[in-house]
Amino acid sequence: MRLTDDERAMLDGKGGQAVQKAMELLVRYGEALGAERFVDTNNVAGVPGSSTLFLKKYYEQHAGNGGYEAIYSLYDLDADQIMSVPKANTYCCHLQGGMDPENWAELGMSEEAHQHFQEDEAQVAARGIQILKTCTPYLAGNVPAKGEHCAWMESSAVVFCNSVIGARTNTEGRESTSAATLTGKIPDWGFHRDESRRGTHRIEVHVPVESVLDWGMLGYFIGYAVEENIPVITGALSQSNLIRHKHFGAAAASSGGVEMYHIVGVTPEAATLEMAMGPSRPAATIPYGPAERRAIYDRLNSVGRDPNVDYVMLGCPHYSIEQMAEAARLLAGKKIRSGCHLWIFTSRSVKGMADRNGYTKAIQDAGGLVMTDTCSAISRAVPKGTKVVALDSAKQTHYLPAMANVEAWFGTTEDCIQAALTGRWNGELK
Amino acid sequence: MTAETIVLRGRKVVGGCAEGEALVTRETISGWGGIDPMTGTVIETHHELRGVSFKDKVLVFPGAKGSSGWSNAFHMTRLTNSAPKAMVFNIINTKIALGAVVTRAPAVTDLDQDPLTVIETGDWVKVDGDRGVVEVTKRQHPAARRESAS
């Protein structure tokens, strides 16, 4: 890689040992990619230095130290020695973590794990890293500008950042974001470059796609259809808004590896089909009609058999304030069926708003729990004895059944809340 | 008895040399949520390798997909001694580049022949990451291949 003077200085140790090791890791990573240079970034979203008890105990046993700086050094920076870790040199936020700061016992977490979580959070705060603790940083205090170079983790946030905002990030990982936090550098590769942001595959939508459910299903279909390519979507999509893009992108990033999409006339780099595609022709044109819609619904519901639902999980990606209001409205004055659990996940920022507007209370009065920071897939936590889950997120439906060994139903938010109230799944494709 | 040997040439992703039995899939692999890092087993619901472990195998696959936790999941397999011995793949992206680096497993891509076509599960594969060379020794007996598949 060709390095600038400041990059060379970091690599030579002028910024201290942790910065040096961070730069070394970024060079190994950049060379693995085939990148020629770095780009400056002042917007990093990761999970710097945070760890599970497993990692802490692993390093206690193998390195004699499982503290924050040990894990940041040995794991995040993949170094072979423990170093002092300085404050962040960039604007950096912490994404979702493993437990709710208040309802951790409900999630089945131990006192020891909670204490470790608190210690990590204090270390993160001491380094000037913003504690957003969400998969939706763009709803909680980090909204990049169009064209801004970012280094973000979290596939659903990455696809939103590139596609809806028009900022620029690859799907970074834990180690690259932790290194970028200290250096302000990330390989100039992929979505940082104009030529890598243009569409590759065309999707023609022939069936009305209006509801959040339909946007999620289309995203899930497209992920399988294009894998990690860049779809350009034309046709019968309507009611574009934040929630729909959030569910669409999260789904497409899960079934495939979609990191950017264009919707002609909607997203910022797709005013026209020509602008979205650039000079190249689509590698394939893929139709999405009633048959494809039915097939993707059936695929999402292929791990549901028993109609008796014992857990309803909402908030993947973390619910927006509008979705909190919707859940509260559907639950107002009602009670969740005995033996059934409803957990709704969001960010601390959005929960603060939901508290003020009375939505949290309405959900709690119905017997539901509002949790922050995490979700069932991330924390691998479902209510004890759960066999059958109801979900309104294609992404969570993709991951949770395999991770928690449960059956799952996929439907609308209303289908899910009805399941929580009655204990029965009655969702169907309308 | 001479075994058939095929040499593929590509470029280094991660240096170092390793050899082992190939585990081949035509499907991309998810890291976080797609594998169990404690055992190196694929767990994704619809994946053709579901229930199969890549521990100590030379993993031959199209590439990485899914969550940004890909590198973290594969990094963990290094800690639990469940990592693949080497990786041979077709499509580079940030997930697999970072994941291969922190797994510290020799890795090669951009090969002059499609490794998914040339290499079959059970073949013996030597990976020289620094030179970008993959040497494949085909399994000799179809009967043995059937046995390994059962």
Side-chain angles (χ1 to χ4, degrees):
Chain A
M1 292 180 83
R2 292 202 304 272
L3 301 183
T4 59
D5 290 346
D6 66 323
E7 290 156 6
R8 175 68 56 196
M10 286 192 257
L11 203 54
D12 290 343
K14 301 257 165 46
Q17 210 178 15
V19 170
Q20 182 181 28
K21 288 293 166 190
M23 205 64 214
E24 278 179 18
L25 175 63
L26 288 168
V27 169
R28 285 160 66 201
Y29 169 45
E31 286 178 347
L33 281 169
E36 290 175 2
R37 61 180 79 81
F38 290 105
V39 65
D40 290 336
T41 178
N42 191 37
N43 191 328
V44 182
V47 290
S50 285
S51 66
T52 56
L53 270 182
F54 173 86
L55 266 188
K56 179 183 161 75
K57 287 179 174 167
Y58 177 89
Y59 285 113
E60 277 171 358
Q61 191 187 336
H62 291 86
N65 183 348
Y68 182 83
E69 291 191 320
I71 287 167
Y72 205 121
S73 302
L74 302 174
Y75 195 74
D76 289 53
L77 301 181
D78 195 28
D80 290 324
Q81 75 266 33
I82 298 170
M83 304 164 296
S84 162
V85 178
K87 276 197 156 190
N89 288 326
T90 53
Y91 173 50
C92 174
C93 69
H94 193 298
L95 297 166
Q96 70 270 23
M99 75 180 73
D100 179 283
E102 289 160 19
N103 298 296
W104 49 271
E106 289 282 344
L107 288 167
M109 302 298 166
S110 66
E111 177 69 52
E112 184 189 15
H114 178 242
Q115 195 182 338
H116 176 55
F117 162 89
Q118 287 182 311
E119 287 164 5
D120 267 354
E121 191 160 297
Q123 293 283 345
V124 168
R127 282 167 181 77
I129 296 157
Q130 318 308 328
I131 297 170
L132 302 189
K133 293 275 175 100
T134 177
C135 52
T136 57
Y138 50 87
L139 290 177
N142 185 348
V143 188
K146 184 169 185 288
E148 184 175 351
H149 291 286
C150 303
W152 281 20
M153 281 185 76
E154 173 47 41
S155 61
S156 72
V158 165
V159 67
F160 192 94
C161 183
N162 280 318
S163 314
V164 185
I165 298 173
R168 299 182 169 216
T169 183
N170 291 308
T171 302
E172 295 300 339
R174 173 188 177 124
E175 301 85 355
S176 59
T177 50
S178 292
T181 296
L182 299 182
T183 59
K185 303 286 179 181
I186 205 75
D188 183 13
W189 191 87
F191 292 101
H192 294 289
R193 305 181 66 81
D194 289 343
E195 67 272 18
S196 306
R197 296 175 66 82
R198 301 202 178 106
T200 60
H201 290 60
R202 187 159 170 199
I203 310 288
E204 288 180 340
V205 177
H206 300 298
V207 61
V209 171
E210 293 173 3
S211 66
V212 175
L213 178 94
D214 264 311
W215 278 67
M217 290 198 299
L218 177 60
Y220 200 63
F221 168 83
I222 288 174
Y224 281 114
V226 309
E227 297 233 294
E228 63 160 19
N229 290 293
I230 304 177
V232 178
I233 304 140
T234 57
L237 275 89
S238 59
Q239 300 197 28
S240 159
N241 69 5
L242 185 144
I243 302 168
R244 286 172 174 77
H245 284 284
K246 175 165 77 80
H247 280 253
F248 174 96
S254 303
S255 56
V258 175
E259 294 164 82
M260 179 159 194
Y261 61 85
H262 298 285
I263 302 177
V264 175
V266 174
T267 53
E269 293 171 49
T272 62
L273 182 61
E274 294 68 32
M275 180 182 169
M277 288 299 307
S280 51
R281 293 174 56 80
T285 297
I286 300 153
Y288 180 78
E292 287 78 16
R293 179 174 180 261
R294 163 51 70 183
I296 205 71
Y297 182 84
D298 291 343
R299 180 165 197 160
L300 280 159
N301 279 294
S302 66
V303 287
R305 285 185 184 80
D306 185 347
N308 296 302
V309 171
D310 38 33
Y311 174 39
V312 176
M313 196 217 106
L314 305 175
C316 169
H318 277 168
Y319 258 12
S320 69
I321 189 63
E322 193 182 350
Q323 291 176 294
M324 296 299 287
E326 170 76 355
R329 183 182 69 77
L330 292 167
L331 287 164
K334 299 179 177 143
K335 285 280 178 206
I336 289 160
R337 190 181 166 87
S338 162
C340 196
H341 296 267
L342 169 67
W343 292 354
I344 303 181
F345 293 88
T346 188
S347 62
R348 292 187 208 177
S349 299
V350 168
K351 180 168 182 291
M353 288 186 262
D355 291 350
R356 293 194 289 279
N357 270 54
Y359 304 144
T360 308
K361 184 171 186 304
I363 293 162
Q364 287 168 344
D365 286 350
L369 266 178
V370 175
M371 300 217 222
T372 65
D373 289 38
T374 190
C375 72
S376 277
I378 289 280
S379 60
R380 292 177 176 252
V382 296
K384 207 164 189 254
T386 295
K387 292 193 188 73
V388 184
V389 187
L391 304 161
D392 69 349
S393 159
K395 174 175 181 171
Q396 193 76 199
T397 308
H398 183 82
Y399 285 118
L400 191 60
M403 298 180 82
N405 196 23
V406 291
E407 290 183 27
W409 295 105
F410 167 79
T412 65
T413 304
E414 194 160 2
D415 291 338
C416 291
I417 297 233
Q418 278 304 315
L421 295 172
T422 62
R424 297 276 298 182
W425 181 255
N426 279 310
E428 56 181 45
L429 186 63
K430 293 194 177 98
Chain B
M1 194 161 60
T2 50
E4 184 193 356
T5 298
I6 304 164
V7 176
L8 290 76
R9 294 176 193 281
R11 80 164 177 92
K12 165 191 158 180
V13 175
V14 175
C17 294
E19 60 186 280
E21 206 177 88
L23 176 64
V24 185
T25 174
R26 293 190 159 271
E27 295 181 5
T28 49
I29 291 180
S30 279
W32 178 88
I35 65 161
D36 175 4
M38 296 300 159
T39 58
T41 304
V42 174
I43 60 164
E44 184 178 345
T45 304
H46 299 288
H47 204 283
E48 66 177 6
L49 286 188
R50 187 177 187 192
V52 178
S53 173
F54 50 68
K55 175 183 162 126
D56 294 335
K57 305 282 187 189
V58 173
L59 185 58
V60 183
F61 60 130
K65 71 163 176 181
S67 162
S68 60
W70 209 95
S71 65
N72 189 42
F74 275 79
H75 197 164
M76 286 284 291
T77 65
R78 190 183 107 208
L79 271 48
T80 61
N81 296 316
S82 306
K85 282 216 163 136
M87 298 189 208
V88 177
F89 59 90
N90 288 341
I91 302 161
I92 188 85
N93 62 16
T94 51
K95 293 163 199 166
I96 202 165
L98 184 62
V101 162
V102 297
T103 305
R104 299 189 186 178
V108 175
T109 191
D110 289 341
L111 292 151
D112 53 4
Q113 296 178 71
D114 181 2
L116 304 183
T117 308
V118 174
I119 308 174
E120 294 168 276
T121 293
D123 291 347
W124 192 259
V125 179
K126 285 185 185 176
V127 178
D128 182 337
D130 295 295
R131 290 167 56 227
V133 173
V134 176
E135 197 179 296
V136 184
T137 306
K138 300 301 289 182
R139 286 188 72 117
Q140 292 159 37
H141 303 291
R145 194 174 304 158
R146 277 201 301 277
E147 196 181 356
S148 88
S150 66

